[in-house]
Amino acid sequence: MDCWIRQYLTPHTHTHRTRSGSESNTGKTGATDFNLRKGIASMASPDELLEAVDLHCYSNNRAHHTDEVDTERLVLRRGQPFTLTVKCRTQPLQHLTEQLTLVLHVGKDSGTGIKVSGSEARSDKWRLSVQPAQRELLVTVSSPASAPIGLYRMDVVLHSQGGQVLQQIPAGHFYLLFNPWCKDDPVFLPDEEMLQEYILNETGLLYQGSWENIHAVPWNFGQFERDIVDVCFEILDNSLSALKDPGADSLQRSDPVYVSRVVTAMINANDDKGVLLGRWSGDYSGGTSPTRWTGSVPVLRQWSRSGGERVRYGQCWVFTGVACTVLRCLGIPTRCITNYSSAHDTDGNLQVDRYYSETLESLPDKRDDMIWNYHCWVESWMARQDLPAGFDGWQVLDPTPQERSDGIYCCGPCPVKAIKEGNIDLKYDAPFIFAEVNADLVCWIVDKKGSCSQTALQCHQVGRSISTKSVHGDKREDVTQHYKYPEGSAMEREVYAKAGLKNSVLNSIEKSLQIGIKHVQAVNGSDFDIYVEVSNKSFEDKDIGLTIVAKTVTYNGIQLQECHRKTSAFSVKASNAKKEVLRLKYEHYGQHLSEHHLIRITALLEQKGRGEVILHERNISLSTPQLAVKIIGEPVVSRKLTAQITFVNPLPITLSEGVFTIEGAGLTDMQEIQSPKEIKPGQEVTVSVSFKPTKPGLRKLLVDFDTNKLRDVKGCASVIVRGKNM
């Protein structure tokens, strides 16, 4: 497909307002966006030589791995040549090849100008070559691998032999992205399978649940969906640094370290005109519950179309999914990570303290430190030219607003290698991330006088089953070994010492009484048993008092409501064990569950007459049913397909206010379908929704279902879509 830029067309660009209210060109697509899709120029005299420019959008984009982004606009990757054709009114003379230059403008208001000529030979500079052919000039343009990413405006200029400008015609716009296929680009990734996954794959998996009950949640990244590239640069344009000094910001966009750090700040809306507002209270009035999002595209479009109004609401996996979309779209290889039992250490002592009263009530004024059941962030691949050698590769970036870094809510990039080796003095935010995967959990009992006694020291409970989607299909890859050495190893002790962390494992004393908590498969809506085993490792019988408490919690560690309690007293013989069973019924926990379906079991053991107190905890992630999704019809681009979605109510109560949400990159924008008003226990409900695929290839349709009493029910279906002419 040709993209001719002709002289007699009138320039027209789409503008958006920044946080300050000023207007700037973004090249956002739309019905009036003629300059990016078809052409621009001003009236020229009949005797002028240059007539039009063909940007070869289809062939250039295909060569630059951006044809999924667009085929009618030019989208390029830096460090890689592209071609354009200048059409002349008459057959050009040979000497004109030395008199043709390009002038590029990048940044807001086209502030930075770059002259590109054939005399430049250095690979770290823009350069071009020109070949005449009939009534055309074939121009090959090469960008340096260090060029700032952004929206460029391009003019073709014809000079006289004395350097005087004879003619200048506009040649349109193009986006320039990072290039992980280019060995000179800091984001270069020399593995085609990884590039297919971490740049080109528009769908993926995020991991939730608990480290013993991991479940995958499909996510639609949609980085190549219509207008998303425009929104990504709009996000950069509204960052605090861009609004303060647009020129300096534009030049710094050559650095993926700088750009990725800006992205982590802008995905949350805590300090700036960012994308998402986080909320963990359970009250999502005035917005969308985080569990209802199935992809990034609706979030990004809502933010852009509202003029930069923050989207309500997100939690860690939503922040992570949206950040992954933006970074992949900009050309930085990125994957999503889930860290189970993730520490949030607010005071920097690499220890998370949890305080309870003597009756196992959580003390609200002591809850700054938390253990999240899981926490999500992204890793991006890049060279760290700002650090000593050895820290290239995967970098942790966390867009969820937890703690301030350099005065704003952002986190990273921090080398994964630095976390594993305990180099917490390296930028950015290494101490906080190190604690997320290494901190100890210490539990305390506070008596009526305010005195604290340590009841539990849980080492190796933080940073478990660190997970990401495999490049080899929809499988989970455990990357814990990239973050930490094996538990109890000499290297682990060495890293702890380097990080200044007291090795609590060596200083802890094994107690004669121990507690273990086990449970059968727990399904939301059913009754199930929890088994608490008390082991006596000593050579004498012991009289025991045991309290078991079940509380509902959110995934980030906030305790909501006690739902059941059992107290018992018994004797445990020497070198023996005894089990106690707590039966949890739906009527105990059902009305208190959060949308995360988590229950925390706390067991407190006291040896009578000795005052020895031991506390042990375990989080239980309740399983929920999956939706059955069936695709009906022949999957061909622009041909109608129907998705049939079936849900069976697993709860012993009637559900209402049900809404199905579907979306899929290359299949359909987000759609909502109302369910029947009431769904009785065990009732099956089937709804149908139609759509027309927009792109060929392997695609995924993602479905979410939420009701008044049951949320976050997911389903998906894969479909191979054929092109129209195949």
Side-chain angles (χ1 to χ4, degrees), residues 99-118:
Q99 296 170 216
L100 196 77
T101 61
L102 297 181
V103 176
L104 306 177
H105 295 274
V106 61
K108 291 183 179 181
D109 304 318
S110 300
T112 303
I114 304 167
K115 183 179 178 181
V116 186
S117 68

Side-chain angles (χ1 to χ4, degrees), residues 15-188:
T15 61
H16 78 279
R17 290 197 173 271
T18 64
R19 185 186 189 198
S20 62
S22 62
E23 292 185 346
S24 65
N25 278 330
T26 64
K28 184 176 295 185
T29 59
T32 59
D33 244 340
F34 203 67
N35 70 317
L36 283 177
R37 292 196 175 274
K38 297 298 181 183
I40 59 173
S42 55
M43 192 66 70
S45 302
D47 58 345
E48 291 183 331
L49 180 62
L50 309 181
E51 181 180 8
V53 180
D54 181 3
L55 300 180
H56 299 296
C57 297
Y58 180 82
S59 58
N60 279 322
N61 289 7
R62 190 169 181 82
H64 285 245
H65 303 92
T66 60
D67 50 316
E68 285 283 315
V69 179
D70 212 320
T71 55
E72 294 184 346
R73 295 190 293 171
L74 192 57
V75 183
L76 305 170
R77 298 191 186 276
R78 65 186 193 176
Q80 182 173 339
F82 65 97
T83 59
L84 52 90
T85 300
V86 180
K87 186 176 181 181
C88 303
R89 296 183 186 276
T90 61
Q91 185 167 335
L93 301 177
Q94 177 67 36
H95 70 270
L96 291 183
T97 61
E98 300 174 5
Q99 296 170 216
L100 196 77
T101 61
L102 297 181
V103 176
L104 306 177
H105 295 274
V106 61
K108 291 183 179 181
D109 304 318
S110 300
T112 303
I114 304 167
K115 183 179 178 181
V116 186
S117 68
S119 61
E120 182 59 64
R122 293 170 51 184
S123 61
D124 61 342
K125 300 290 185 181
W126 287 86
R127 58 197 189 280
L128 63 77
S129 62
V130 183
Q131 289 183 330
Q134 301 298 321
R135 293 175 57 187
E136 296 177 338
L137 294 172
L138 305 180
V139 182
T140 301
V141 185
S142 297
S143 62
S146 58
I149 65 167
L151 179 64
Y152 284 71
R153 177 169 63 83
M154 178 167 54
D155 293 329
V156 177
V157 182
L158 184 64
H159 297 270
S160 68
Q161 290 183 333
Q164 181 182 357
V165 175
L166 300 176
Q167 187 181 359
Q168 179 169 336
I169 64 171
H173 293 69
F174 63 87
Y175 277 121
L176 191 67
L177 309 177
F178 292 110
N179 191 353
W181 283 269
C182 174
K183 63 180 179 60
D184 295 324
D185 196 309
V187 302
F188 174 59

Side-chain angles (χ1 to χ4, degrees), residues 309-597:
E309 288 293 324
R310 55 191 183 180
V311 178
R312 306 164 190 261
Y313 295 102
Q315 291 177 1
C316 73
W317 70 90
V318 187
F319 289 106
T320 293
V322 174
C324 185
T325 295
V326 174
L327 291 163
R328 284 187 184 181
C329 183
L330 296 177
I332 302 176
T334 302
R335 63 186 185 182
C336 297
I337 300 291
T338 297
N339 176 40
Y340 288 95
S341 297
S342 186
H344 182 182
D345 176 27
T346 58
D347 55 14
N349 66 349
L350 297 175
Q351 176 175 298
V352 173
D353 298 293
R354 194 174 283 165
Y355 294 86
Y356 294 92
S357 70
E358 293 174 305
T359 57
L360 282 186
E361 299 294 330
S362 179
L363 299 181
D365 60 332
K366 298 284 188 180
R367 294 196 319 185
D368 290 340
D369 285 359
M370 289 184 179
I371 302 289
W372 293 36
N373 208 53
Y374 62 87
H375 180 54
C376 302
W377 57 68
V378 297
E379 288 178 358
S380 290
W381 182 275
M382 65 188 74
R384 290 302 300 269
Q385 297 168 350
D386 58 325
L387 296 179
F391 295 102
D392 297 344
W394 291 116
Q395 313 288 319
V396 174
L397 292 151
D398 191 347
T400 302
Q402 296 186 89
E403 298 293 324
R404 293 185 183 274
S405 174
D406 293 337
I408 61 175
Y409 283 99
C410 65
C411 184
C414 174
V416 173
K417 291 178 183 177
I419 301 305
K420 183 172 184 176
E421 300 300 334
N423 297 112
I424 62 174
D425 57 331
L426 296 179
K427 57 186 181 182
Y428 293 91
D429 309 303
F432 183 80
I433 299 167
F434 184 88
E436 285 186 300
V437 299
N438 284 298
D440 289 331
L441 171 61
V442 181
C443 297
W444 305 83
I445 295 293
V446 182
D447 64 22
K448 295 177 182 179
K449 297 180 181 180
S451 299
C452 297
S453 58
Q454 181 178 317
T455 62
L457 170 62
Q458 298 184 28
C459 309
H460 301 142
Q461 297 299 308
V462 166
R464 308 184 78 162
S465 300
I466 305 174
S467 303
T468 190
K469 178 186 174 299
S470 170
V471 298
H472 307 297
D474 290 344
K475 299 183 294 184
R476 183 182 73 90
E477 179 182 351
D478 193 303
V479 294
T480 309
Q481 73 278 10
H482 297 170
Y483 282 83
K484 52 205 301 190
Y485 285 99
E487 297 172 359
S489 67
M491 284 304 300
E492 182 196 42
R493 293 194 292 272
E494 184 178 318
V495 166
Y496 273 41
K498 187 190 298 184
L501 177 64
K502 181 181 178 182
N503 196 322
S504 305
V505 180
L506 297 180
N507 296 315
S508 61
I509 300 173
E510 184 175 355
K511 297 185 178 181
S512 59
L513 287 172
Q514 297 177 5
I515 310 177
I517 300 175
K518 296 181 180 180
H519 62 89
V520 298
Q521 178 66 43
V523 179
N524 192 4
S526 68
D527 304 341
F528 58 93
D529 292 329
I530 292 112
Y531 302 94
V532 178
E533 183 175 83
V534 178
S535 300
N536 181 2
K537 302 293 185 180
S538 71
F539 297 104
E540 60 179 0
D541 297 350
K542 296 196 176 184
D543 293 325
I544 302 299
L546 179 66
T547 301
I548 309 171
V549 177
K551 294 181 180 179
T552 54
V553 294
T554 62
Y555 87 99
N556 63 327
I558 298 175
Q559 300 191 45
L560 299 177
Q561 184 74 40
E562 180 178 318
C563 52
H564 201 35
R565 173 185 289 256
K566 180 179 181 180
T567 302
S568 56
F570 50 85
S571 177
V572 184
K573 295 188 176 300
S575 302
N576 217 320
K578 182 176 177 56
K579 286 183 181 178
E580 284 290 304
V581 180
L582 177 70
R583 180 75 169 173
L584 263 187
K585 298 182 178 181
Y586 180 78
E587 63 191 55
H588 293 146
Y589 66 82
Q591 63 179 334
H592 305 303
L593 271 182
S594 73
E595 66 270 28
H596 309 117
H597 313 137

